[in-house]
Amino acid sequence: MSERALKKQKVSEESTAEIVAEIAEENLRKHPHAVENNSLIHHDDGEFSKFKRHETTAEQAEALENGHENPFTGKPFSQKYFSILKGRRDLPVHAQRAEFLKIFQSTQIMVFVGETGSGKTTQIPQFVLWDDLPHLRGTQVACTQPRRVAAMSVAARVADELDVELGEEVGYSIRFENKTSNKTILKYMTDGMLLREAMEDHDLKRYSVIILDEAHERTLATDILMGLLKQVSVRRPDLKIIIMSATLDAEKFQNYFNDAPLLAVPGRTHPVEIYYTPEFQRDYLDAAIRTVLQIHATEDEGDILLFLTGEEEIEDACRKISLECDELIREQNCGPVDVYPLYGSLPPHQQQKIFNPAPEPLRPNGRPGRKIIISTNIAETSLTIDGIVYVVDPGFSKQKVYNPRIRVESLLVSPISKASAQQRAGRAGRTRPGKCFRLYTEEAFKKELIEQSYPEILRSNLASTVLELKKLGVDDLVHFDFMDPPAPETMMRALEELNYLQCLSDEGDLTALGRLSSQFPLDPSLAVMLIGSPGFNCSEEILTIVALLSVPNVFVRPASARKRADECKMRFSHPSGDHITLLNVYDEFQGNDAFETGLHQWCRDNFLSYRSLTSAKSVRSQLRRIMEKFDLELISSTNEDEVRKALAAGFFMQVAKKRSGGKGYLTIKDNQEVLIHPSTVLGKDPEWVIYNEFVLTSKNYIRTVTSVNPEWLVEIAPKYYNLEHFNKGDVKLSLERIIDSVETKKKIEKKEKKEKKSKK
């Protein structure tokens, strides 16, 4: 036996306490100047920079992992823990643990590139945990994810691997859901949640290590966090930062972080054969379904992963594929199939089904069963599903696109990038050689797909971002160190919008309303509407409406029963529009809340989404807590006009006016021709409406619409409705008449008051 193996065996026989003590002693030998106040204990003043962290070797960490007692809980390890540990040690990332620790301990910021399936998302935070032992210093390790699904599922997996309860030592924090406790030492969270924490604590003092995972996705929040952490690293030299990416576009991250060292780990992949279509596919959804059915009928065993663009498309494809596969099983003696959807708003227990084993053959020696997973681009990098052998890639995803000229932000189905196409193909080679079927031509791949997707910061409305940066203490937005600076026009639009909402002063400083708005995890216009609702005596109603606008659509409209679904929707409808219709739905849902089983059935009978309504209930209670915290009065009103006025106070920039003598509407200021979406419940075509969404499809639609009195708009937002800011035309002429009418009314009221006073 080698000397290293003997040492390893000896060290594994020691107790956890002895190993921790040995690490501490070794650390103190290395750093004798750090002996004051014991470097393992949380310092009284909360400052960590005055003493060194301990530095654990890979060997010592493995010895701790092999021990009998879990150092994070003080309880013995379970048998399940050791069986999982064996699999973890086989992951490619484990072979470079010592190299990782060497770089991690010797530098403040490092870039880590791990290919799909290398184990980086689950293992790197654990390597850090065993090295940093944050529970001994009262600190935490944060690992950010761009998607809620990934944060929840990875936290659950790592809790199992560490043999702890989810929500205790390992937890997660996502928008409107926090599963952590005062024991939490490793916290998976969406990048947006870490940004919200930074608003309250600019130096993120509770964290000793921050890991930004999936940084290549370049979400808005990740880009801001990178700029922010670059600043924090100067103020906090003790804070360790790891930037993790799945693609080898790492040089850009290295350069941005002042030539940070890089460690690359290969994934555990097998060769993947790529197939292209000989010609352009007119209907990619139909082509995708046909390809999946063909694979099931003709290919060997192995699960199938199909990428589609959104919830509606995925659910539709699931139904069609399930029906068609039933026929294949009957007619061609194919194996059984389990079809699972996967998208962001799917509840956790349904997301977990994708990890179920494939179904057993229907008879002995029969054809094997397979799973078919139909997913958005969540499955590109954020989640790894073993057993996938066939990938079907139509080449599209939904992307947020913002046009600052017409102030419209929309989710559009767009072609993916070459990098995304390669990530998708790589999913087929995780367990054995696989096949990827690209539903576009090879020429289209080479000539039409861009190399990398554009970062979200270049195609988003930045109003929320600017508010966040102001709250983070960043006053000079022009010189903030963005990796890719947004267009000046987009930044100007955001500043203008926040100024009209009174969140920023004319000088660009954060106002009291802006500071309060930033406390709500909402779009600024929704936050302003909620804060202002007590002034209209209807904060309870606005709270409900905001919660319902923050969850997926509550109305279900299956293709097989559209007429019945529309009839049920009309039962809740209110002639003034969709917002109060949503209020009616929630009130009835609450009224039927006595028995959960009955509530499920009630939702099915009325073509409503139980999942969206329960989610809205949870969002509402959290927003209510924030309102109570800031002493915002909770009042209920039966006056429908007050509710519509309160809505107008948030949506006064999202207004459309009926075209005189023509069909449809014009958006004010931008004069965009729009139609009211067919899903709306408006009784008739009112003259003026506010809308929640601008939808770009074959035509321009406005969706979730409520009729308003234009006089309210002029009174609520006189600065926005200053006629100097409007171009000549129908809208300006109408506004001139309305402003004259409002001013005349005010003069009459003033005169009447004066007369009453003089009589007294």
Side-chain angles (χ1 to χ4, degrees), residues 176 193 196-197 199-202 467-468 471 503 510 512-524 527-528 530-531 622-623 625-627 629-630 632:
F176 299 124
M193 290 310 292
R196 295 204 72 77
E197 287 191 19
M199 285 185 203
E200 301 308 313
D201 173 12
H202 294 353
L467 195 60
E468 283 165 354
K471 187 77 184 357
C503 291
L510 200 61
L513 178 60
R515 206 164 281 112
L516 187 50
S517 297
S518 68
Q519 299 292 335
F520 290 85
L522 296 166
D523 185 78
V528 166
L530 200 51
I531 293 162
Q622 289 180 58
L623 291 174
R625 282 200 292 275
I626 300 172
M627 289 185 80
K629 181 182 171 186
F630 293 102
L632 292 167

Side-chain angles (χ1 to χ4, degrees), residues 74 165 201 279 410 418 490 583 647-648 656 708 730 759:
E165 281 291 316
D201 173 12
E279 56 192 36
S410 287
K418 284 180 184 165
T490 311
L583 198 54
L647 287 166
V708 289
D730 189 19
K759 280 178 186 176

Side-chain angles (χ1 to χ4, degrees), residues 630-649:
F630 293 102
D631 297 322
L632 292 167
E633 209 177 347
L634 289 152
I635 324 164
S636 188
S637 171
T638 51
N639 186 336
E640 167 228 314
D641 277 3
E642 287 183 325
V643 176
R644 290 195 295 142
K645 275 183 190 174
L647 287 166

Side-chain angles (χ1 to χ4, degrees), residues 108-152:
Q108 185 180 9
I109 304 173
M110 71 177 285
V111 178
F112 184 92
V113 174
E115 286 178 26
T116 297
S118 62
K120 69 180 187 311
T121 301
T122 55
Q123 303 309 303
I124 292 297
Q126 291 186 69
F127 291 173
V128 167
L129 217 56
W130 289 103
D131 175 69
D132 199 51
L133 299 174
H135 62 301
L136 299 174
R137 304 192 305 150
T139 64
Q140 287 182 332
V141 172
C143 181
T144 69
Q145 297 292 322
R147 294 189 176 86
R148 297 158 59 100
V149 179
M152 291 188 288

Side-chain angles (χ1 to χ4, degrees), residues 140-148 150-152 155 171-174 187-197 204 206-207 210-211:
Q140 287 182 332
V141 172
C143 181
T144 69
Q145 297 292 322
R147 294 189 176 86
R148 297 158 59 100
M152 291 188 288
Y172 66 81
S173 174
I174 61 175
K187 182 153 77 169
Y188 283 91
M189 62 210 302
T190 50
D191 38 21
M193 290 310 292
L194 185 59
L195 206 50
R196 295 204 72 77
E197 287 191 19
L204 294 162
R206 75 170 73 171
Y207 299 107
I210 292 173
I211 304 166

Side-chain angles (χ1 to χ4, degrees), residues 1 38 137 143 416 423 618 636 701 722:
M1 194 182 276
N38 187 343
R137 304 192 305 150
C143 181
I416 58 171
Q423 286 290 348
S618 164
S636 188
Y701 286 109
N722 182 336

Side-chain angles (χ1 to χ4, degrees), residues 127-402:
F127 291 173
V128 167
L129 217 56
W130 289 103
D131 175 69
D132 199 51
L133 299 174
H135 62 301
L136 299 174
R137 304 192 305 150
T139 64
Q140 287 182 332
V141 172
C143 181
T144 69
Q145 297 292 322
R147 294 189 176 86
R148 297 158 59 100
V149 179
M152 291 188 288
S153 58
V154 174
R157 172 67 191 171
V158 171
D160 272 355
E161 292 184 0
L162 283 171
D163 210 18
V164 299
E165 281 291 316
L166 179 64
E168 295 292 311
E169 286 74 16
V170 175
Y172 66 81
S173 174
I174 61 175
R175 189 176 177 224
F176 299 124
E177 194 176 340
N178 182 14
K179 201 168 176 64
T180 61
S181 69
N182 56 3
K183 292 183 188 173
T184 302
I185 49 171
L186 172 57
K187 182 153 77 169
Y188 283 91
M189 62 210 302
T190 50
D191 38 21
M193 290 310 292
L194 185 59
L195 206 50
R196 295 204 72 77
E197 287 191 19
M199 285 185 203
E200 301 308 313
D201 173 12
H202 294 353
D203 289 343
L204 294 162
K205 293 190 194 74
R206 75 170 73 171
Y207 299 107
S208 51
V209 183
I210 292 173
I211 304 166
L212 297 188
D213 195 9
E214 310 291 2
H216 62 276
E217 292 215 3
R218 299 292 304 281
T219 64
L220 203 50
T222 295
D223 267 25
I224 298 165
L225 277 172
M226 285 195 288
L228 196 67
L229 290 175
K230 201 172 171 181
Q231 292 180 354
V232 174
S233 65
V234 177
R235 298 195 297 269
R236 278 195 58 196
D238 61 303
L239 176 68
K240 297 271 186 179
I241 298 162
I242 303 171
I243 309 298
M244 295 209 295
S245 170
T247 58
L248 274 164
D249 185 30
E251 206 174 309
K252 192 165 185 175
F253 294 118
Q254 277 188 283
N255 293 340
Y256 181 71
F257 286 104
N258 311 320
D259 297 323
L262 169 75
L263 176 62
V265 174
R268 186 171 58 188
T269 52
H270 298 270
V272 176
E273 286 181 72
I274 309 277
Y275 298 90
Y276 294 91
T277 57
E279 56 192 36
F280 167 74
Q281 300 297 304
R282 205 165 284 283
D283 183 343
Y284 72 82
L285 185 58
D286 182 56
I289 291 169
R290 278 190 285 108
T291 307
V292 167
L293 295 171
Q294 194 180 341
I295 292 168
H296 183 52
T298 60
E299 295 284 353
D300 295 337
E301 71 176 302
D303 298 334
I304 302 169
L305 173 60
L306 163 61
F307 286 98
L308 290 178
T309 65
E311 178 180 343
E312 208 172 303
E313 205 172 70
I314 287 169
E315 292 290 2
D316 188 34
C318 281
R319 276 192 299 275
K320 286 178 179 170
I321 289 171
S322 297
L323 287 169
E324 296 276 357
C325 283
D326 289 346
E327 274 187 46
L328 283 176
I329 293 163
R330 281 197 305 274
E331 292 172 11
Q332 296 187 31
N333 201 21
C334 287
V337 158
D338 283 341
V339 185
Y340 299 117
L342 178 63
Y343 46 84
S345 57
L346 202 62
H349 69 277
Q350 282 184 261
Q351 289 163 13
Q352 291 306 311
K353 288 180 181 176
I354 62 169
F355 300 112
N356 290 350
E360 293 295 318
L362 293 171
R363 58 191 68 83
N365 303 320
R367 289 179 71 175
R370 69 172 100 230
K371 284 187 300 189
I372 299 173
I373 294 156
I374 306 176
S375 173
T376 59
N377 51 359
I378 286 174
E380 239 176 66
T381 56
S382 300
L383 290 171
T384 296
I385 310 156
D386 284 330
I388 299 293
V389 178
Y390 306 101
V391 165
V392 180
D393 173 18
F396 292 99
S397 68
K398 262 190 186 165
Q399 289 201 345
K400 194 190 288 178
V401 180
Y402 179 62

